Amino acid sequence: THSSSARGIFIKGGRVVNEDCSAIADVYIENGKIVEVGMGLQIPAGTRVIDATDKLVMPGGIDTHTHMELAFMGTKAVDDFHIGTKAALAGGTTMILDFVIPQKGKSLLEAYNCWRETADPKVCCDYSLHVAVTWWSDKVKKEMEILTKEKGVNSFKMFMAYKDVFMLSDSELYAAFSQCKQIGAIAQVHAENGDLIAEGAKKMLALGITGPEGHELCRPEEVEAEATQRAITIAHAVNCPLYVVHVMSKSAAKVVSNARRDGRVVFGEPIAAGLGTDGTHYWDKEWAHAAGFVMGPPLRPDPSTPGYLMDLLANDDLSVTGTDNCTFCVCQKALGKDDFTKIPNGVNGVEDRMSVIWEKGVHSGKMDENRFVAVTSSNAAKIFNFYPQKGRIAKNSDADVVIWDPKLTRKISAKTHHQAVDYNIFEGMVCHGVPVITISRGKVVYEAGELKVSPGHGKFIHRKPFSEFVYKRIKQREQVSQAPYASTPESSIPAFKQCASW
Ligand code: URP
Ligand code: ZN
Ligand code: ZN
Ligand code: ZN
């Protein structure tokens, strides 16, 4: 009952890895979906057979955080939706979540439509969109509702940094988080104190510190940790689930971890850059090298940071991984040659995230292959509400699959990567764990080092609000905390305290 052109794919004898278990099994794919998973399946006629003996068959990676072709800090990111998603596929990632970032005062819906028009014809893998709330008004509030009800968006990013550009005040964060909770969305924060960054930057420049090291010195760890704690406090006040994007420091990671131990519904997202390298590069004598690592929040000079973040990722204090892929060539970085505040912020990662996490996480023995799947795809699918459509190798799931050779190694280099950017922050890193075949929407799109995919192959993935993984607890807390609160105030006080949800 399928057209003759829709040839199936039979992945034979691999080790199928999901977030909860692994088993040797065959996987049969047809019409973009996984049709069957099991031992010794029959091979239908006309099917392409891929021998996956001694290889892992895993859900394709989901990068929770990219900024393809973002216009930012006076220039535009060079990885566009075409090149960026192709690079993703070459690295075993089959879906990205990018950000719509409207200017202050501008319509969220118009910005969303514009980003869809830009991305839809170019993407080579599936994608979805978070939307940033960069200002506040009744119109913004209404548009958030429309985006969740009609446009497939269930996550909104609020900036606590980039003063006068994207930053919101605490009262605006309160309003935005309240609305997220009302409409069943996840509040995301860029957690850094924007006022302190502005003051710190002035101070550094006054001291004559104009190089990339000034970028880190003007916004040390506690600037990130303070904002992280403040966001958690505000989210808790309105019983809203919180997702902290790009957790870059030990201090901020500890804040997230402690909040989770206090029972808060909060998720932390480290990124490939923070797990794979550190901020010592800001002190490199070669300006271009140092500037290449500039991003916000900065990578940290404490060299124990990447290993620490990986430990927390391994034990579920941190939940998912993105990349914040937002790439600027060396010539673009040079906008800040004489003033670090003008260096366009952003680094690469979309192509190398899977290999970096395999190397630093799995090869090192910190996490097993199942946790690898959890932090590279399935947790993202659960939080952002498209599980098990993606993030799982199972019957009826989308055929987004990576065939992984854990024994092969590759050396990361700008000379061989597929991204448009002219350097790579992981240059020279040797990684065990190589994606040998990537399948997107049931088609082999990357094989033997070759990409075979055209722009528009990927599709926009609509996400519904009230993700159960996030909202079941939120809803229950709402109920148990409201019942006593609504009755006699005196008798409600102990119960109210016990519930402790606000
Ligand atoms: O440096 C960064 N992170 N650039 C992209 C914008 C953001 O804050 O995520
Ligand atoms: Zn950010
Ligand atoms: Zn360096
Ligand atoms: Zn970002």
Side-chain angles (χ1 to χ4, degrees), residues 385-405:
N385 212 12
F386 50 94
Y387 182 87
Q389 180 189 349
K390 294 190 188 293
R392 189 160 187 88
I393 302 290
K395 189 179 165 122
N396 295 330
S397 289
D398 285 358
D400 281 1
V401 178
V402 59
I403 302 178
W404 193 261
D405 192 331

Side-chain angles (χ1 to χ4, degrees), residues 244-279:
V244 183
V245 306
H246 48 45
V247 176
M248 299 300 290
S249 63
K250 288 166 75 170
S251 320
K254 280 175 192 167
V255 170
V256 170
S257 159
N258 287 338
R260 285 173 71 85
R261 282 152 203 223
D262 285 343
R264 306 290 170 90
V265 183
V266 52
F267 304 96
E269 170 207 77
I271 62 170
L275 294 164
T277 185
D278 63 46

Side-chain angles (χ1 to χ4, degrees), residues 65-141:
H65 190 149
T66 70
H67 301 279
M68 300 307 170
E69 58 189 281
L70 177 69
F72 189 48
M73 295 182 75
T75 184
K76 192 172 179 181
V78 288
D79 282 315
D80 67 3
F81 279 102
H82 175 215
I83 296 174
T85 53
K86 263 171 102 157
L89 291 168
T93 288
T94 52
M95 180 176 176
I96 61 166
L97 287 100
D98 203 270
F99 288 83
V100 177
I101 310 184
Q103 298 299 306
K104 273 192 197 285
K106 292 281 161 58
S107 160
L108 275 58
L109 274 171
E110 277 170 34
Y112 166 91
N113 288 335
C114 169
W115 221 228
R116 285 291 307 272
E117 281 162 26
T118 304
D120 280 1
K122 290 190 189 174
V123 285
C124 296
C125 69
D126 284 356
Y127 83 108
S128 196
L129 293 172
H130 311 292
V131 176
V133 174
T134 54
W135 61 296
W136 191 251
S137 74
D138 282 342
K139 180 180 168 177
V140 172
K141 186 176 173 192

Side-chain angles (χ1 to χ4, degrees), residues 65 67 157 159 162 190 245-246 296-297 324:
H65 190 149
H67 301 279
K157 177 176 176 181
F159 290 90
Y162 302 116
H190 175 129
V245 306
H246 48 45
D324 208 355

